[in-house]
Amino acid sequence: MISNKEDYKDYLQSDLRSAKIQKWKWQYRYKHEILKFQRLLRKIEYYQNCKKDLFSKIYLLFLKYSYKKISLKMGFTIPKNVFGPGLSIPHYGTIIVNPRAKIGKNCRIHASTNIGEIDGEAPIIGNNVYIGPGAKLYGAITIGNNVAIGANAVVNKSVPDNVTVGGVPAKIISEKSSKAMIIEGHK
């Protein structure tokens, strides 16, 4: 979670590196809508968590309005303070994440993904996790570090570190980790 200006800068840089970009350029605002979305998400997290003066609270309202507009346009329902640094969203499309979910650094999440809750409990997802297109994760489960979740998998049970899961319901299909499928934007 972003708790100071250094964290904010680190999150922004990690998200860029996860998209294979080293430095933000003003042209990206028009070329990379997903990165524009992510930068706005991080800015909201920074202002909500760190800035308490009146001007910042008013500016935060404007940021939230802009965020809602771009979220609707892109089909993303991604709440604040859920994803760690190094978030990678490679494609437009519906992504729904419950606000109770906690997701570590370097998560690569694809379109048509749903991370939901059951009885008020949502998944806790480790670092360096690849979530394939159409995957559904729900309930009080823990996904380990370096896990790859296959396309259209339905994950309703906890998953250990360094494996690949797939199927309905999801089960371990390989002992390979997610290392080849993600870009580590945050070390």
Side-chain angles (χ1 to χ4, degrees), residues 62-81:
F62 168 75
L63 292 174
K64 286 181 177 180
Y65 173 75
S66 299
Y67 184 74
K68 185 174 182 176
K69 279 178 51 177
I70 196 169
S71 292
L72 289 171
K73 176 181 175 186
M74 300 182 84
F76 298 160
T77 303
I78 298 177
K80 307 170 282 312
N81 297 315

Side-chain angles (χ1 to χ4, degrees), residues 153-169:
V154 176
V155 184
N156 60 358
K157 292 184 178 138
S158 292
V159 177
D161 294 347
N162 302 307
V163 296
T164 299
V165 297
V168 179

Side-chain angles (χ1 to χ4, degrees), residues 161-177:
D161 294 347
N162 302 307
V163 296
T164 299
V165 297
V168 179
K171 56 187 170 223
I172 297 172
I173 58 174
S174 172
E175 297 297 323
K176 290 184 180 178
S177 73

Side-chain angles (χ1 to χ4, degrees), residues 20-147:
K20 295 184 180 179
I21 296 174
Q22 294 305 312
K23 186 176 179 190
W24 178 258
K25 297 179 183 174
W26 67 270
Q27 302 96 317
Y28 294 159
R29 188 170 189 202
Y30 306 103
K31 291 180 183 178
H32 295 286
E33 288 285 321
I34 293 172
L35 283 177
K36 181 179 168 184
F37 168 85
Q38 286 180 230
R39 291 178 74 80
L40 185 55
L41 172 65
R42 299 312 189 182
K43 191 176 231 181
I44 288 172
E45 290 173 349
Y46 172 66
Y47 271 86
Q48 182 169 313
N49 298 344
C50 303
K51 299 288 195 167
K52 302 299 179 194
D53 60 281
L54 181 61
F55 173 76
S56 296
K57 289 180 180 180
I58 293 168
Y59 184 55
L60 181 59
L61 290 174
F62 168 75
L63 292 174
K64 286 181 177 180
Y65 173 75
S66 299
Y67 184 74
K68 185 174 182 176
K69 279 178 51 177
I70 196 169
S71 292
L72 289 171
K73 176 181 175 186
M74 300 182 84
F76 298 160
T77 303
I78 298 177
K80 307 170 282 312
N81 297 315
V82 170
F83 283 92
L87 172 61
S88 175
I89 304 172
H91 305 289
Y92 293 92
T94 305
I95 296 175
I96 300 170
V97 180
N98 186 278
R100 289 188 172 107
K102 294 295 173 209
I103 302 163
K105 65 182 181 180
N106 301 321
C107 179
R108 184 170 178 93
I109 186 168
H110 285 266
S112 300
T113 300
N114 189 327
I115 300 173
E117 73 169 73
I118 292 180
D119 297 328
E121 299 286 333
I124 297 171
I125 300 172
N127 298 325
N128 306 318
V129 174
Y130 171 88
I131 303 173
K136 312 296 183 255
L137 297 80
Y138 59 91
I141 61 173
T142 301
I143 307 298
N145 297 321
N146 307 310
V147 171

